[in-house]
Amino acid sequence: MTRPTPGEERRAAELRRVLAQANHDYYVLDAPTLSDAEYDLLLRELQALEHAHPALRTPDSPTRRVGAAPASALAKVHHHAPMLSLANAFSAEELAEWEARNARINPDVPAGGYTTEIKIDGAAINLLYEHGHFVRGATRGNGVIGEDVTANLRTVEELPLVLGGRGHPARMEIRGEVYLSHQAFVRLNAEREREAEPPFANPRNAAAGSLRQLDPAITRRRRLRLFAFHVQVIEGRLPAETQWEVLDLLEAWGFPVAPHRKRHRDLAAVQRAVEGYESAIKRLPFDADGVVVKVDPLALQEDLGVVGGREPRWGIARKFAPEVARTTLRHILLNVGRTGAVTPYADLEPVEVGGVTVSSATLHNEDQIAQKDIREGDEVEVMRAGEVIPQVLGPTTEARERKGRHHPWKPPTHCPACGTALHRPEDEVIRYCENGACPGRVLEGIVHYAGRDAMDIRGLGYERVKLLLDERLIRDVADLYRLTPAQLETLEGFAAQSAKQLVAAIAASRERPLSSFLFGIGIRHVGKSNAQLLARRFPSLDRLAAASVGEIEAVPGVGAAIAQAVADFFGHAGTRDLLARLRDAGVDPVEADTVDTTGPLAGKTYVLTGTLPTLSRKDAAALIEKAGGRVAGSVSKQTDAVVAGDDAGSKLEKAKSLGVEVIDEEELVRRVGR
């Protein structure tokens, strides 16, 4: 290969500088200075230079943070030393008992001093560095064996690929936490809801799920952040004698460390500081649930050792109770979703919970409202402990005992958006509006239709759909295909180029397969997997529309409720009119035959439940389908096997009761021949 010219060397250095600054602006400051298109153009230029001249690729090049191909699975990693879990103390008394236990082992502990660090509620990671270079990153796993997430961790802008400062041992593991800020979490869940994906329960789950993505590009978009707090030396010497010095070293090497860290002469000083920490946590831009207290001298830490191979005696988590506040429930309001589901939520007198002002909260469903006896005008307890939406725990004791309470809330009989009589199916806790033209359903339905896993109309999010409806340019999804750039250019937020791009994206959606269309059009009970099953059995709209309930139910993995919902959908006059208008607009999707009828799982039906060690639900389903199998949403006698992971629930119990085979991820991978 030819040597790079001086001009190429200068250009590569300039590209590294510009891209590194852009990453900092985007991920750390949350103030992008380059558009995605501009960033990608510069990155491709740098990649081309490095490909032509490998000598130009430095260890800290931005190209090392992106571009890895999606993995088929996450490899296992043995940690050099176990990743430990901290014991908890929930009171000052328990913290004092912890010190007393340690003092019985070594009387020098009380005089040794302590450090305190904010306990970030994130996902634990283990980072291997060799001679100052990042080599590998892994999840905690079971503490001994984790999963290799190196490619994903490279996308975390705050993780140093090459250490700065001095004094780093030749080989070492850095322990830390990866987390999502509140702002990034809200943004991520809003995006998932627009694309009809289930929202993450809390930032910690979102961070853990992002780390275990098989495609690093997805992880990069989620803007993970990092704190480091521990060094495990493998080879070499650590120039530190205290935990405080360890934190100073980590900071000098380029790692972020937890804010508000403190050093204390004795436990009494720690106890005095705890109250201040509890109030400080409420103002943090990320989730934290306590303070980590550590014996400061490393020699004392080594002497105290570990309990049962998993808990260090020298450290403990001083936990705080979940945030609960009291406020007045002003009204019980209703939300209409894309399938017509009408769900109640609480309109609250604004109150601060966990550092966030809350004015609305979930009430789950009408049965829970009745069970908890929640009434309008009640003083209620509201909890926010990392949940997506704060939840109403119930009325306070005083509210329950108060005379003159409002009457019990009555569930709605008619849709709040269109006035149509609501229907509550047997064995369900939700009422439905069955008017396909309901304004509430239409808005949510069009947003869902445009989602990535449906018709993938880039640039058509919630606000734009609302704008088009408000301006009466559309009334349903069929009208999207009649929009022109000239119409859009007159609207706020559109320029000539963005108008053309949106019209082009709408036109491109005509080529989407039938399975994507069925998922997007909003048939009750039909998720992505069921849409694929239906599209493969009935590969055109006409064939599915003409199918009987019995024919639909005969599709393996499709139960009676889904079959009836599909038949009802296509039997509705409004649906027939909508489909006719879509056909006139050139939307008549079909499904290509993608099933491997000779694959190792051909003709087999599998059900997924729980959290698998390395595969996401989506990836596991794709693996089964590629091997010719089908993925069903419920367990029946026709199920061939249930693939169970951690926290498997009722599906696992049903499989056992029916005698259906239960396997783990490792067995699934073996069967598909990966």
Side-chain angles (χ1 to χ4, degrees):
M1 294 186 180
T2 59
R3 291 177 56 85
T5 66
E8 288 173 326
E9 290 178 344
R10 287 194 297 271
R11 180 57 177 165
E14 175 64 10
L15 288 170
R16 286 195 297 270
R17 184 193 68 77
V18 171
L19 290 168
Q21 183 61 48
N23 280 333
H24 180 78
D25 295 340
Y26 185 89
Y27 288 100
V28 180
L29 302 182
D30 198 27
T33 52
L34 293 178
S35 69
D36 288 349
E38 290 170 325
Y39 182 93
D40 291 341
L41 190 65
L42 295 177
L43 184 66
R44 284 196 294 270
E45 183 183 352
L46 180 58
Q47 287 172 325
L49 279 171
E50 291 178 348
H51 179 73
H53 307 292
L56 292 176
R57 194 179 195 203
T58 61
D60 58 346
S61 172
T63 61
R64 291 183 178 266
R65 293 194 182 274
V66 297
S72 58
L74 297 173
K76 298 293 189 294
V77 170
H78 283 261
H79 305 308
H80 174 74
M83 294 184 69
L84 307 175
S85 297
L86 292 169
N88 296 322
F90 291 95
S91 66
E93 291 74 20
E94 290 183 0
L95 203 55
E97 290 169 4
W98 167 70
E99 182 185 66
R101 289 194 300 271
N102 286 338
R104 287 194 290 271
I105 297 172
N106 189 322
D108 294 335
V109 167
Y114 297 94
T115 62
T116 51
E117 305 161 41
I118 294 287
K119 187 179 184 301
I120 295 93
D121 195 10
I125 54 165
N126 192 23
L127 310 171
L128 175 64
Y129 280 82
E130 295 181 352
H131 304 289
H133 290 74
F134 175 57
V135 175
R136 186 185 66 208
T139 62
R140 182 185 184 279
N142 62 9
V144 178
I145 301 174
E147 296 163 346
D148 191 329
V149 290
T150 305
N152 291 340
L153 284 167
R154 285 185 183 277
T155 72
V156 179
E157 176 61 25
E158 293 172 314
L159 186 150
L161 300 178
V162 179
L163 299 182
R166 299 178 179 178
H168 19 84
R171 293 185 73 224
M172 61 180 171
E173 291 177 335
I174 305 295
R175 306 285 163 81
E177 293 270 331
V178 161
Y179 69 98
L180 272 178
S181 68
H182 292 151
Q183 186 178 22
F185 176 64
V186 170
R187 184 190 298 118
L188 172 60
N189 265 347
E191 178 184 323
R192 290 177 70 82
E193 288 172 2
R194 285 194 299 270
E195 296 175 359
E197 295 180 350
F200 284 110
N202 51 55
R204 175 175 37 82
N205 286 0
S210 300
L211 264 186
R212 299 176 66 253
Q213 283 290 326
L214 299 183
D215 185 352
I218 295 175
T219 306
R220 180 175 180 269
R221 289 197 298 270
R222 294 184 178 176
R223 308 189 190 188
L224 293 175
R225 303 193 65 176
L226 162 73
F227 283 128
F229 51 74
H230 182 76
V231 180
Q232 184 70 43
V233 176
I234 302 173
E235 180 183 329
R237 175 183 169 275
L238 184 67
E241 295 182 356
T242 64
Q243 172 65 17
W244 189 257
E245 292 172 356
V246 168
L247 295 174
D248 282 343
L249 274 176
L250 287 168
E251 205 163 28
W253 294 343
F255 292 98
V257 297
H260 307 292
R261 61 185 175 107
K262 295 179 181 178
R263 201 175 194 181
H264 310 273
R265 293 181 60 183
D266 52 32
L267 192 66
V270 172
Q271 301 279 29
R272 289 192 296 270
V274 165
E275 185 176 343
Y277 273 116
E278 190 162 10
S279 60
I281 279 176
K282 298 175 184 178
R283 299 188 295 272
L284 293 173
F286 53 82
D287 273 3
D289 58 357
V291 178
V292 177
V293 184
K294 297 176 184 175
V295 171
D296 194 26
L298 300 183
L300 282 179
Q301 288 188 11
E302 185 174 356
D303 192 42
L304 291 171
V306 176
V307 180
R310 65 181 300 273
E311 289 182 358
R313 291 190 179 90
W314 45 263
I316 195 166
R318 174 63 168 90
K319 287 288 193 75
F320 303 134
E323 282 290 336
V324 177
R326 292 185 172 195
T327 190
T328 300
L329 193 162
R330 298 189 293 201
H331 303 285
I332 295 177
L333 302 178
L334 300 166
N335 178 69
V336 183
R338 65 180 178 84
T339 62
V342 178
T343 53
Y345 68 96
D347 170 39
L348 303 168
E349 192 71 39
V351 63
E352 186 175 293
V353 189
V356 175
T357 299
V358 171
S359 59
S360 64
T362 182
L363 292 168
H364 298 293
N365 57 63
E366 62 186 67
D367 287 1
Q368 287 209 25
I369 293 175
Q371 180 184 351
K372 295 177 179 179
D373 190 22
I374 298 172
R375 308 186 189 186
E376 292 183 326
D378 276 348
E379 181 185 54
V380 294
E381 291 184 324
V382 182
M383 183 178 76
R384 180 183 175 274
E387 300 299 324
V388 179
I389 301 174
Q391 59 178 304
V392 174
L393 298 178
T396 62
T397 303
E398 295 86 345
R400 290 181 187 275
E401 296 174 350
R402 189 174 297 137
K403 293 181 179 180
R405 288 179 75 195
H406 286 218
H407 294 294
W409 181 73
K410 293 183 179 180
T413 58
H414 290 75
C415 175
C418 68
T420 300
L422 299 179
H423 169 62
R424 177 173 170 172
E426 291 185 22
D427 302 324
E428 290 197 36
V429 295
I430 300 295
R431 294 174 188 257
Y432 291 89
C433 172
E434 299 186 326
N435 175 16
C438 170
R441 291 188 61 177
V442 168
L443 171 60
E444 298 288 348
I446 296 175
V447 173
H448 174 71
Y449 181 86
R452 187 177 301 168
D453 285 337
M455 300 303 275
D456 195 23
I457 304 176
R458 301 296 174 91
L460 188 59
Y462 185 92
E463 293 301 327
R464 280 187 169 176
V465 172
K466 190 174 186 303
L467 178 62
L468 293 172
L469 288 169
D470 289 345
E471 294 294 329
R472 300 188 177 183
L473 290 176
I474 62 172
R475 53 196 168 103
D476 55 32
V477 295
D479 289 337
L480 292 171
Y481 298 92
R482 293 178 172 82
L483 291 172
T484 65
Q487 288 175 306
L488 297 178
E489 286 177 37
T490 65
L491 304 179
E492 183 180 352
F494 279 96
Q497 184 63 25
S498 58
K500 289 179 182 177
Q501 288 174 341
L502 180 55
V503 170
I506 293 170
S509 73
R510 292 186 175 98
E511 305 304 317
R512 294 286 285 173
L514 177 60
S515 54
S516 297
F517 178 85
L518 293 177
F519 175 58
I521 202 63
I523 307 172
R524 191 185 302 172
H525 304 312
V526 175
K528 188 176 178 183
S529 295
N530 290 325
Q532 291 172 337
L533 295 176
L534 292 168
R536 288 169 179 171
R537 174 62 182 84
F538 306 100
S540 73
L541 266 178
D542 286 338
R543 289 180 62 179
L544 181 57
S548 66
V549 173
E551 289 173 322
I552 298 170
E553 190 176 350
V555 177
V558 175
I562 297 172
Q564 189 62 58
V566 172
D568 289 347
F569 176 81
F570 284 103
H572 195 279
T575 298
R576 292 195 295 270
D577 175 68
L578 177 64
L579 295 180
R581 292 172 52 235
L582 282 166
R583 285 194 181 93
D584 290 343
V587 182
D588 193 10
V590 296
E591 189 78 4
D593 183 11
T594 58
V595 177
D596 183 358
T597 56
T598 63
L601 303 186
K604 303 290 186 181
T605 299
Y606 282 68
V607 171
L608 301 167
T609 183
T611 302
L612 301 180
T614 68
L615 294 173
S616 68
R617 186 74 61 91
K618 182 177 179 180
D619 293 326
L623 206 62
I624 293 167
E625 290 165 357
K626 189 174 181 181
R630 297 182 176 88
V631 178
S634 58
V635 181
S636 69
K637 291 181 179 179
Q638 284 70 46
T639 303
D640 291 287
V642 169
V643 185
D646 292 340
D647 300 321
S650 59
K651 292 178 183 177
L652 177 60
E653 296 305 315
K654 188 169 183 181
K656 291 177 179 178
S657 68
L658 294 175
V660 173
E661 183 184 19
V662 177
I663 63 173
D664 58 13
E665 179 190 295
E666 185 176 356
E667 174 61 16
L668 172 64
V669 172
R670 187 194 68 77
R671 291 185 182 188
V672 301
R674 293 297 293 263

